[in-house]
Amino acid sequence: MPKESQNILVISYSQTGQLSRLVEHFLKPLQSNDIYIEHHIIKPCEPYPFPWKFISFFNQFPETVHLQPAPIHSPELQQKKYDLVIVAYTVWFLSPSQPITAFLQSEQAQRHLKNTPVITLIGCRNMWLQAQEKMKSLLADCGANLIANVVKVDQSNDWASFITTPMWMLTGKKKAVAWLPSAGIAESEIKDMQRFGTVLLQKITENQPLDKTLFQNMGAVKIDEKLMMSEKVGARSFHIWGKLLIKCGQISPSFRKIVLYFYIVFLVAMILTVVPISAVIKRLLKPLIQKKLNEQKRYFAEPSGE
């Protein structure tokens, strides 16, 4: 048993409830008298709707991408210091969701995450690399020590989830149409989170240090190399257009909305053309760039690895 009680802080925000279930299964093995788990679900000052209205959903992207989140209610943290912090988040527009970003930018996060090991848990459609890069930066600004990352993605293939995930967001129904699979992460993958919680429990009970070896060689993440280039292109597009839309909004909210409609059309066209083209280019160039791809995969898979 651990020599003394361990204090674990869990920070999360989930609209659909799917991420909450991931967290629940991760924490299930840790329900022990010697482990104090303090779970705070971040509450925005103005709650986000679910299901979303079409334009409201896309209107979140400029501030999300530029890490300018809407305000949140500060959680009432009970401890001055935690032995471990778990940050569970979903991906919005290749970035951490606004409520999670808002918390990590707060003075609370600066105080409580400094010199503290952090585990990130991600539940998303399929693209999370660029979001985790921003997460790394936010954690570094807090002086936190990222020791592990566990990612679970949608069960559907990329093209099916391109339809099913937005339908879920806009209708609230995981299976909005009969001829496509359900949106979301497979039940088996959600339950698999217990495997990681069990390993964490073992480390704690054996008084082993919590470091970057925690979930290595467990398949904590899986890098889809054909999406790496697409994510990079998408992130650059979001950054440029997000900056433009913020400036348009400063001129007139109506002007911002007009430009946003134009960008939505542009975005869909880009997804339908750039993503497959980049995949083809990468496949053709793969023999020449395989070494670089392997290096990128190892980098993005850190600290837990594939």
Side-chain angles (χ1 to χ4, degrees):
M1 299 299 293
K3 295 178 181 178
E4 58 183 28
S5 178
Q6 298 287 301
N7 293 311
I8 299 177
L9 172 65
V10 182
I11 297 294
S12 70
Y13 174 77
S14 176
Q15 279 194 298
T16 66
Q18 178 174 255
L19 185 69
S20 297
R21 295 195 63 228
L22 286 175
V23 173
E24 176 188 344
H25 281 277
F26 182 89
L27 296 177
K28 198 169 186 179
L30 299 168
Q31 307 301 323
S32 164
N33 292 332
D34 297 296
I35 300 176
Y36 172 71
I37 299 174
E38 185 180 328
H39 186 183
H40 290 277
I41 299 172
I42 301 301
K43 296 180 179 179
C45 292
E46 185 175 339
Y48 293 99
F50 185 78
W52 286 86
K53 298 294 184 182
F54 180 81
I55 198 63
S56 297
F57 174 73
F58 282 100
N59 200 38
Q60 300 302 317
F61 110 75
E63 284 73 21
T64 300
V65 168
H66 284 272
L67 304 182
Q68 299 176 17
I72 59 172
H73 294 289
S74 298
E76 297 182 2
L77 305 185
Q78 302 301 308
Q79 306 293 324
K80 291 184 178 180
K81 179 68 178 176
Y82 295 90
D83 299 290
L84 173 68
V85 175
I86 298 170
V87 179
Y89 73 97
T90 52
V91 176
W92 291 11
F93 303 101
L94 305 183
S95 305
S97 66
Q98 282 198 35
I100 294 298
T101 296
F103 172 76
L104 292 174
Q105 290 176 339
S106 69
E107 292 184 4
Q108 275 187 315
Q110 295 282 339
R111 290 195 305 269
H112 289 87
L113 271 66
K114 187 175 182 179
N115 299 322
T116 302
V118 173
I119 296 172
T120 50
L121 308 179
I122 304 174
C124 66
R125 176 180 163 243
N126 61 357
M127 292 185 176
W128 55 270
L129 304 182
Q130 297 300 319
Q132 185 68 355
E133 288 301 289
K134 291 184 177 181
M135 175 59 66
K136 290 176 185 176
S137 178
L138 290 166
L139 292 175
D141 289 343
C142 293
N145 177 25
L146 178 63
I147 62 168
N149 182 34
V150 182
V151 182
K152 296 297 184 182
V153 299
D154 275 17
Q155 58 192 320
S156 305
N157 63 54
D158 295 340
W159 291 109
S161 63
F162 174 64
I163 299 173
T164 58
T165 300
M167 290 290 286
W168 186 15
M169 296 299 101
L170 298 174
T171 68
K173 299 177 181 178
K174 292 186 71 173
K175 193 172 180 63
V177 289
W179 50 276
L180 285 173
S182 295
I185 300 166
E187 186 66 22
S188 59
E189 287 292 281
I190 292 175
K191 291 181 178 179
D192 184 59
M193 295 297 285
Q194 294 185 37
R195 183 165 58 95
F196 299 94
T198 299
V199 169
L200 175 58
L201 174 64
Q202 181 180 355
K203 293 282 187 179
I204 292 174
T205 55
E206 294 177 357
N207 294 301
Q208 296 184 33
L210 298 179
D211 56 27
K212 293 183 179 181
T213 64
L214 180 60
F215 297 146
Q216 287 182 356
N217 302 313
M218 290 184 63
V221 305
K222 184 177 180 181
I223 308 296
D224 189 342
E225 66 179 37
K226 72 177 183 293
L227 294 177
M228 289 193 298
M229 183 184 296
S230 300
E231 274 212 52
K232 192 171 184 179
V233 172
R236 188 171 299 167
S237 172
F238 281 160
H239 182 85
I240 294 171
W241 281 88
K243 187 175 183 179
L244 174 63
L245 283 162
I246 289 173
K247 290 187 178 297
C248 289
Q250 293 169 351
I251 298 172
S252 165
S254 297
F255 183 45
R256 167 169 165 154
K257 186 174 290 188
I258 292 170
V259 177
L260 179 59
Y261 275 118
F262 177 82
Y263 179 67
I264 292 170
V265 175
F266 171 82
L267 177 63
V268 172
M270 186 177 72
I271 292 172
L272 295 176
T273 56
V274 173
V275 171
I277 290 173
S278 65
V280 171
I281 292 174
K282 182 167 285 188
R283 178 169 293 184
L284 293 174
L285 296 177
K286 190 173 182 178
L288 302 176
I289 62 174
Q290 189 61 58
K291 183 178 179 181
K292 184 176 181 180
L293 288 176
N294 291 339
E295 290 174 353
Q296 289 180 335
K297 286 184 69 176
R298 283 193 295 271
Y299 168 76
F300 285 123
E302 292 177 350
S304 297
E306 292 189 276

